[in-house]
């Protein structure tokens, strides 16, 4: 059983020490300081938990995958009349000055904690804590490489939303640093990823213990380097009008398409990650009949679906997941620290005011654009594996009642949604029964499913796009029973749309391809809480695909930061 371990004291120690405030120059009442804390593996493990803790944000609009889904052309804002925030994000408006501030703050919480590990362990010798010198070396290489990866991860997450970021890469760096350019920010990201790849041990994922699942490894760093390459070269070429085919490094060098392809080749050949045999088995609905002990989702039974699980190659539940490479994990045990440790995408994107079996209720955000349903070939099993037609009895939705929310299209996502069934305590979430959850507000805390940030399918499709070869593309298509195609960028675009629908990837693909400027032309009928209406897609090209810098951060910078164009 997984759990989120929160070392609040350690995280506070690292962040506070980096602030440089005079009140910190007092006696250490807790016996540990940043100078003596990183002295043994237990300290490092606790500090690393603090690094990962910065993946979680309190404000839902600072959740990368939730905001990116709403901004994409395949989801609407939805919700109810009071859910103005979801509609604002969808329509690329920001009447509130700090909509994305939690994302900004958690970026620097994560970066500062990673900086501390990098600096304080460079000359460490942990051989006294291990049976062999090799074990000690591998441990230290892993944690240092992991810290480099996480620093890159946080800056990459931020630069996609905000553009160039202030680069703080040492504990004592000034906190009033100006924003770096997009190119400078990516040079730091790429250099950190290369350092992570070169430092972390080359251990295939089948040899990584289950308890390490959710941590980064060398192969994850190689995959993210490819993602950074595609986003940087695409953004600079198509959004900034500065054509480039290389990813810069901080030493003045750069990485070419061939360099990045070589890293992906290493991942493909040596990582032992692999595609799940059936795309639909990646998602929790494929386990609901097994968890319920009876057929509550006839379609899944007829298709013979069986969930791969979410704990890697040897999961607590499921057949074994070799496709999910990097994920956001959520708690199954501890709800005391806040709702951010629950997968709120599944809650917020679930069906509004309809508690059915096996799909439960939520806030009704993210209705699906009917264009996606209409243009998707019925022969592709990912269509029904990704989208729910509300009212479909074969999906357990025969009792669905519409006119409960805004911008209803009759379609909702199927990957991240509340899944539930009857049991000893009545109808409750599947994860409630799997993990024997006990909490005060189960509806809002049932979603313990991982949010997948990197899948092996993405490695294959990125390889095809960067190398301009069809092998990876056709491997993904073959998994879904589709025939081979010749390589073209248009084929890649179509495949990524269908493979990664509602996974928080589509928006960033539109931006890097430059398609964001032409994608938002839709106008179609919707139902707004029982009233007929028309949805008009909106995007403002002057923003260049970036969101607003938090106004409070601009004020705190005393004019060092300037607001992004269009905001």
């Amino acid at each position: 059983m997984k759990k989120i371990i929160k070392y609040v004291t350690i995280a506070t120690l690292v962040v506070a020490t980096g602030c440089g405030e005079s009140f910190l120059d007092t006696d250490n009442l807790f016996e540990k300081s940043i100078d003596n804390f990183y002295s043994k593996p237990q300290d490092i493990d606790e500090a690393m938990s603090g690094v990962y803790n910065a993946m979680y944000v309190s404000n839902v609009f600072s959740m990368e995958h939730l905001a990116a889904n709403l901004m994409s052309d395949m989801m609407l804002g939805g919700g109810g009349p009071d859910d103005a925030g979801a509609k604002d994000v969808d329509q690329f408006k920001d009447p509130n000055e700090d909509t994305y501030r939690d994302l900004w703050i958690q970026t620097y919480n994560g970066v500062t904690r990673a900086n501390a590990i990098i600096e304080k362990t460079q000359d460490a010798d942990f051989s006294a804590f291990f049976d062999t010198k090799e074990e000690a070396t591998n441990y230290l290489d892993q944690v240092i490489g992991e810290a480099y990866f996480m620093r890159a991860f946080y800056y990459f997450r931020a630069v996609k939303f905000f553009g160039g970021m202030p680069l703080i890469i040492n504990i004592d760096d000034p906190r009033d640093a100006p924003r770096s350019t997009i190119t400078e920010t990516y040079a730091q990201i790429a250099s950190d990823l290369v350092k992570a790849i070169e430092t972390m041990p080359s251990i295939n994922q089948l040899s990584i213990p289950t308890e390490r699942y959710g941590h980064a490894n060398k192969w994850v760093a190689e995959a993210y380097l490819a993602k950074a390459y595609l986003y940087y070269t695409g953004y600079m070429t198509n959004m900034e009008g500065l054509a480039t085919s290389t990813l810069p490094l901080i030493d003045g060098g750069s990485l070419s398409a061939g360099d990045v392809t070589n890293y992906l080749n290493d991942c493909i050949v040596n990582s032992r990650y692999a595609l799940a045999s059936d795309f639909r088995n990646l998602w929790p609905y494929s386990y609901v009949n097994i968890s319920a002990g009876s057929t509550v989702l006839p379609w899944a039974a007829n298709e013979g679906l069986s969930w791969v699980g979410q704990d890697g190659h040897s999961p607590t539940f499921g057949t074994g997941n070799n496709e999910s490479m990097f994920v956001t994990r959520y708690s199954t045990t501890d709800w005391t620290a806040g709702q951010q440790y629950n997968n709120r995408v599944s809650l917020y994107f679930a069906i509004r005011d309809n508690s059915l079996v096996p799909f439960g209720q939520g806030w009704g955000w993210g209705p699906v654009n009917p264009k996606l349903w209409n243009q998707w070939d019925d022969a592709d099993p990912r269509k029904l594996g990704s989208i729910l037609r509300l009212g479909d009895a074969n999906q357990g939705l025969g009792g669905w009642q519409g006119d409960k929310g805004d911008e209803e299209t009759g379609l909702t996502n199927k990957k991240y949604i509340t899944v539930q069934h009857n049991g000893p305590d009545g109808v409750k979430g599947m994860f409630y029964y799997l993990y024997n959850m006990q909490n005060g507000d189960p509806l809002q805390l049932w979603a313990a499913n991982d949010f997948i940030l990197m899948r092996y399918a993405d490695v294959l499709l990125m390889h095809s796009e960067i190398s301009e070869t069809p092998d990876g593309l056709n491997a993904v298509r073959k998994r879904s029973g589709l025939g081979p195609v010749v390589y073209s960028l248009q084929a890649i675009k179509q495949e990524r749309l269908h493979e990664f629908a509602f996974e928080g990837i589509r928006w960033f693909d539109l931006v890097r391809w430059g398609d964001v400027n032409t994608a938002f032309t839709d106008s179609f009928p919707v139902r707004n809480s029982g009233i007929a209406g028309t949805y008009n897609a909106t995007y403002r090209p002057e923003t260049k695909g970036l969101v607003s810098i938090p106004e409070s951060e601009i004020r705190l910078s005393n004019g060092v930061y300037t607001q992004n164009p269009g905001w």
Side-chain angles (χ1 to χ4, degrees):
M1 181 178 295
K2 62 189 170 95
K3 60 181 178 180
I4 305 297
I5 304 174
K6 298 171 286 295
Y7 292 98
V8 178
T9 301
I10 302 306
T12 304
L13 168 71
V14 175
V15 174
T17 305
C19 293
E21 299 290 349
S22 59
F23 70 82
L24 293 175
D25 297 328
T26 59
D27 291 337
N28 183 2
L29 302 179
F30 300 97
E31 299 182 353
K32 289 186 177 182
S33 72
I34 197 169
D35 292 320
N36 65 21
F37 175 69
Y38 302 88
S39 59
K40 57 184 183 292
Q42 180 183 347
D43 295 346
I44 305 302
D45 292 342
E46 292 180 2
M48 188 62 75
S49 291
V51 174
Y52 279 89
N53 189 263
M55 295 175 73
Y56 305 93
V57 295
S58 296
N59 187 305
V60 294
F61 300 119
S62 285
M63 295 175 66
E64 173 186 2
H65 28 286
L66 187 145
N69 272 324
L70 290 177
M71 288 191 289
S72 80
D73 60 336
M74 293 304 165
M75 273 188 159
L76 287 57
D82 294 333
D83 290 315
K87 298 179 183 68
D88 287 338
V89 172
D90 172 58
Q91 295 291 318
F92 232 63
K93 301 175 182 177
D94 187 14
N96 302 308
E97 62 177 26
D98 277 346
T99 298
Y100 304 101
R101 189 174 184 228
D102 281 359
L103 177 59
W104 184 282
I105 290 172
Q106 287 296 74
T107 294
Y108 289 100
N109 284 342
V111 164
T112 301
R113 297 166 194 173
N115 287 343
I117 292 176
I118 292 168
E119 290 191 34
K120 296 301 180 180
T121 57
Q122 290 293 335
D123 300 318
D125 182 357
F126 292 149
S127 57
F129 299 95
F130 294 89
D131 293 333
T132 67
K133 180 70 173 178
E134 181 182 11
E135 289 178 338
T137 299
N138 285 342
Y139 172 81
L140 194 57
D141 287 348
Q142 174 63 32
V143 297
I144 293 175
E146 210 169 332
Y148 275 109
F149 170 81
M150 290 306 296
R151 185 167 72 183
F153 172 84
Y154 288 123
Y155 276 131
F156 183 48
R157 184 174 70 171
V159 73
K160 291 185 296 181
F161 279 94
F162 300 119
M165 299 294 292
L167 292 176
I168 299 172
I169 59 173
N170 298 294
I171 294 174
D172 296 327
D173 280 354
R175 293 314 192 249
D176 59 353
R179 292 175 67 189
S180 298
T181 65
I182 290 176
T183 294
E184 291 167 340
T185 304
Y186 270 97
Q188 185 63 53
I189 292 166
S191 298
D192 280 351
L193 289 172
V194 170
K195 185 68 172 179
I197 293 166
E198 294 174 345
T199 305
M200 285 189 280
S202 299
I203 302 173
N204 78 71
Q205 67 97 10
L206 295 178
S207 298
I208 298 175
T210 299
E211 58 267 22
R212 292 284 304 169
Y213 179 72
H215 282 258
N217 56 51
K218 173 182 177 177
W219 324 112
V220 172
E222 290 178 331
Y224 267 88
L225 184 62
K227 191 171 281 285
Y229 172 86
L230 283 170
Y231 200 85
Y232 173 75
T233 55
Y235 189 89
M236 296 303 291
T237 299
N238 298 312
M239 300 301 289
E240 293 288 354
L242 301 171
T244 183
S245 60
T246 61
L247 178 64
L249 299 169
I250 56 176
D251 64 2
S254 63
L255 297 173
S256 67
D259 295 327
V260 178
T261 299
N262 287 337
Y263 283 117
L264 287 179
N265 285 337
D266 183 39
C267 180
I268 291 168
V269 172
N270 296 311
S271 71
R272 301 293 298 276
Y273 285 107
L275 295 175
S277 60
D278 190 317
F279 164 90
R280 299 167 296 181
N281 287 338
L282 290 164
W283 314 109
Y285 60 71
S286 61
Y287 199 73
V288 68
N289 291 332
I290 299 171
S291 180
S294 61
T295 299
V296 295
L297 182 55
W299 167 80
N302 294 337
E303 296 294 315
L305 302 186
S306 184
W307 191 36
V308 295
Q310 58 180 28
D311 296 308
H313 53 77
S314 301
T316 307
F317 306 100
T319 60
N321 187 339
N322 294 313
E323 181 163 349
S324 297
M325 297 177 65
F326 195 60
V327 303
T328 303
R329 309 230 69 189
Y330 293 99
S331 180
T332 63
T333 58
D334 183 3
W335 310 108
T336 60
Q339 201 184 65
Q340 66 264 35
Y341 299 106
N342 169 74
N343 189 343
R344 287 173 290 177
V345 175
S346 296
L347 171 67
Y348 281 71
F349 287 178
I351 307 166
R352 188 172 182 86
D353 289 345
N354 277 259
S355 183
L356 304 170
V357 173
F359 297 105
Q361 66 177 320
W363 305 157
W365 293 11
V368 172
N369 188 332
K371 177 175 67 175
L372 177 59
W373 176 268
N374 294 334
Q375 62 87 38
W376 202 334
D377 189 343
D378 290 342
D380 188 341
R382 294 173 298 186
K383 181 177 182 178
L384 285 179
S386 302
I387 301 176
L388 280 170
R389 293 177 298 170
L390 300 176
D392 185 349
N394 199 39
Q395 302 288 342
L397 299 174
W400 173 73
Q401 296 180 348
D403 291 339
K404 299 291 187 180
D406 291 347
E407 300 178 340
E408 288 183 355
T409 64
L411 301 168
T412 194
N413 106 89
K414 197 174 188 177
K415 293 177 177 178
Y416 293 102
I417 188 171
T418 299
V419 178
Q420 64 182 18
H421 59 75
N422 202 0
D425 296 333
V427 174
K428 294 186 180 294
M430 181 178 78
F431 291 102
Y432 173 93
Y433 283 114
L434 291 180
Y435 294 113
N436 192 28
M437 293 180 178
Q438 299 296 324
N439 52 69
D441 187 5
L443 169 63
Q444 297 191 44
L445 299 172
W446 283 338
N449 50 313
D450 296 343
F451 196 98
I452 304 171
L453 301 174
M454 178 64 69
R455 290 200 275 122
Y456 185 66
D458 207 351
V459 169
L460 295 174
L461 290 178
M462 289 191 295
H463 186 280
S464 277
E465 186 171 356
I466 295 170
S467 66
E468 298 185 356
T469 58
D471 291 354
L473 166 64
N474 285 326
V476 174
R477 289 178 57 82
K478 182 179 180 181
R479 189 254 297 270
S480 291
L482 304 175
V485 296
V486 298
Y487 173 82
S488 70
L489 182 57
Q490 186 56 42
I492 286 287
K493 290 180 178 182
Q494 188 79 347
E495 200 63 28
R496 291 185 67 84
L497 169 61
H498 293 158
E499 181 70 21
F500 301 123
F502 322 127
E503 296 182 46
I505 292 175
R506 171 68 175 175
W507 164 253
F508 299 115
D509 280 348
L510 288 175
V511 173
R512 69 181 178 88
W513 289 324
D515 294 344
V516 68
N517 293 320
T518 57
F520 294 86
T521 58
D522 297 335
S523 179
F524 49 83
V526 294
R527 299 286 294 177
N528 293 316
S529 298
I531 300 173
T534 300
Y535 174 85
N536 294 295
T538 302
Y539 168 72
R540 294 184 294 114
E542 64 270 22
T543 65
K544 293 186 176 181
L546 302 178
V547 301
S548 57
I549 303 296
E551 288 291 341
S552 60
E553 295 297 325
I554 293 176
R555 289 194 295 270
L556 286 170
S557 77
N558 293 319
V560 174
Y561 304 159
T562 56
Q563 187 54 270
N564 281 333
W567 298 102

